Amino acid sequence: MRVLLSTYGTRGDVEPLVALAVRLGVLGVEVRMCAPPDEEFARRLAGLGVELVPIGPPVREVMSGTALPSAADLSRYRNGLVDAQFATLPSAAEGCDVLVAAGLAQVAARSVAEAAGIRYVYASYAAVHLPSPHHAPPPRPGWAESEVRDNLARWELDARNVNAQFGEILNRHRASLGLPWVDNVRDHVFTDRPWLAADPALGPWRQIQGLDVVQTGAWSLPDARPLPADLSAFLDAGAPPVYVGFGSMHASKDMARNAIEAIRAQGLRALVSRGWADLGPTDDRDDCFAVGEVNHQRLFGRVAAVVHHGGAGTTLTAARAGAPQVVVALQMSDNPYWAGRVADLGIGAAHDDTTPTSESLGVAVKTALSPETRARARSMATEVRSDGAEVAAGLLLDGMG
């Protein structure tokens, strides 16, 4: 069996498919993966023996600014990705039995699978990305948002926005492949049986009529890497610090400074992840330390709390480690959703303001470090599963989904 995996985005989009690729490889399945050509992704896949088919521009270039591109630039960028997918995916899919597409940017994947006569599976990493009367669609940068409160009305607008962006370009490519016209691009991409690669305890799906969601659990890999010696020395030198990291998001230096001040005000040490924004300590005091890319699975078990942007992977890893969380939802994609889930589950605090002050962050950190929150976070750790990639790989081999 040969499987093509396809995604486009930051590490949070790529890493779950890496986990699925590794699990499929253990089962004897040949896997290749379409992903952005960023060096870190190429190095990651090469180290695991997974063939990379580069697609689109490097994501870090798009995320390198201090603000998101304009709506017009985002529109051109999104259409360019569709053209790149139709140029790359057909040859990548040759000889494959199934194409698994994950994330929001996979507009061409189903059409390519249809033209090749192979199975197609769409996977989402968060329930909030799938249409439901139980929640509103997440914000999409550069697109109009409905002012009405009814969730279904907002999903209807979301479908119109997707059609306005992708309808012409998708159907032009489909016509060149001899495929019929698509009226609803979003639902065409999702299918009526999408997979949800999210933990059922952290982000459950409430079944609705017309959408038969298969929730596999989150796709992740165990990480046995040791922590760097200097980081271990910092951890050993005092009480557990509070971790602050915003991954690939547009986090400002002010946000890092305010977080450090809030943590110090609680009498705690701070551990800052540099991330793509290259954050770091604001002074040379020894109660703050900066790290690059490290093993979060091992690290989060040694921190007092995790302050982050609300990425699905970070939320999962912190929950699995039993670490209380403060989610500063940056109003991107599923970030507000995960912030809400953390608050609703009682395993941390949601900071809804995208420009937090040291005072507002201090309140959130204090909530996360309360005895009740810490106890709930430890309890939650026992409920989070680790077999999502195994479940998904089994479904693929069994021809289900």
Side-chain angles (χ1 to χ4, degrees):
M1 184 178 184
R2 184 176 296 165
V3 174
L4 174 63
L5 308 177
S6 181
T7 193
Y8 187 87
T10 62
R11 183 177 180 182
D13 297 284
V14 174
E15 197 63 27
L17 278 189
V18 171
L20 180 58
V22 170
R23 184 58 195 170
L24 287 168
V26 169
L27 298 176
V29 177
E30 182 179 340
V31 181
R32 62 175 65 117
M33 184 169 168
C34 288
D38 296 73
E39 181 181 349
E40 64 188 85
F41 302 147
R43 185 169 57 247
R44 173 74 163 139
L45 291 170
L48 295 170
V50 178
E51 178 187 354
L52 170 64
V53 180
I55 191 165
V59 173
R60 192 181 280 261
E61 291 181 2
V62 182
M63 303 293 288
S64 61
T66 57
L68 285 171
S70 67
D73 287 341
L74 281 170
S75 179
R76 286 190 290 270
Y77 173 64
R78 286 163 171 151
N79 282 347
L81 282 178
V82 176
D83 286 334
Q85 289 166 11
F86 275 108
T88 303
L89 287 175
S91 59
E94 289 181 1
C96 291
D97 302 288
V98 60
L99 194 166
V100 179
L104 297 175
Q106 299 302 295
V107 175
R110 184 176 181 180
S111 298
V112 170
E114 191 177 340
I118 63 176
R119 286 176 59 215
Y120 166 79
V121 174
Y122 175 80
S124 173
Y125 299 144
V128 73
H129 289 307
L130 300 175
S132 169
H134 302 302
H135 55 251
R140 301 205 195 202
W143 292 1
E145 290 191 49
S146 175
E147 296 181 359
V148 302
R149 298 180 64 87
D150 180 72
N151 288 337
L152 288 179
R154 298 180 71 174
W155 279 109
E156 289 174 3
L157 175 60
D158 180 73
R160 292 197 297 271
N161 285 337
V162 175
N163 279 343
Q165 173 74 67
F166 298 116
E168 189 278 330
I169 191 170
L170 173 63
N171 283 302
R172 174 162 47 82
H173 280 289
R174 285 180 63 83
S176 70
L177 296 173
L179 300 175
W181 184 275
V182 168
D183 291 319
N184 186 322
V185 176
R186 186 198 65 202
D187 293 356
H188 159 81
V189 171
F190 288 174
T191 77
D192 59 3
R193 190 174 169 80
W195 288 9
L196 177 55
D199 185 82
L202 279 180
W205 174 257
R206 298 170 64 180
Q207 288 290 355
I208 61 171
Q209 187 174 3
L211 201 61
D212 184 17
V213 173
V214 178
Q215 185 157 18
T216 64
W219 303 345
S220 62
L221 282 177
D223 191 345
R225 292 176 299 159
L227 297 176
D230 56 351
L231 172 57
S232 293
F234 175 76
L235 294 171
D236 291 340
V242 175
Y243 169 94
V244 179
F246 301 102
S248 57
M249 296 293 102
H250 299 279
S252 69
K253 309 294 183 183
D254 287 345
M255 190 178 298
R257 182 180 64 252
N258 290 339
I260 293 170
E261 290 179 0
I263 293 164
R264 283 172 167 168
Q266 303 291 326
L268 299 168
R269 302 189 301 159
L271 178 61
V272 180
S273 174
R274 296 194 181 279
W276 285 13
D278 195 26
L279 305 178
T282 54
D283 52 43
D284 58 0
R285 289 170 54 179
D286 62 5
D287 64 346
C288 185
F289 189 81
V291 295
E293 199 282 313
V294 297
N295 182 350
H296 284 174
Q297 293 178 20
R298 192 179 293 270
L299 173 61
F300 286 178
R302 299 194 60 184
V303 301
V306 176
V307 180
H308 64 100
H309 62 292
T314 308
T315 304
L316 173 73
T317 305
R320 188 175 285 156
Q325 306 181 45
V326 173
V327 183
V328 183
L330 300 180
Q331 303 305 313
M332 286 282 290
S333 187
D334 55 353
N335 297 164
Y337 167 77
W338 290 115
R341 290 301 302 154
V342 164
D344 290 346
L345 290 166
I347 59 175
H351 192 294
D352 297 327
D353 191 341
T354 58
T355 57
T357 65
S358 58
E359 292 78 12
S360 64
L361 279 172
V363 172
V365 170
K366 190 172 183 179
T367 297
L369 294 176
S370 70
E372 297 81 8
T373 304
R374 287 187 293 172
R376 179 59 189 141
R378 289 193 298 269
S379 175
M380 189 73 202
T382 66
E383 301 177 33
V384 179
R385 291 168 38 190
S386 60
D387 62 345
E390 181 179 356
V391 170
L395 291 173
L396 287 174
L397 264 65
D398 292 340
M400 297 175 65

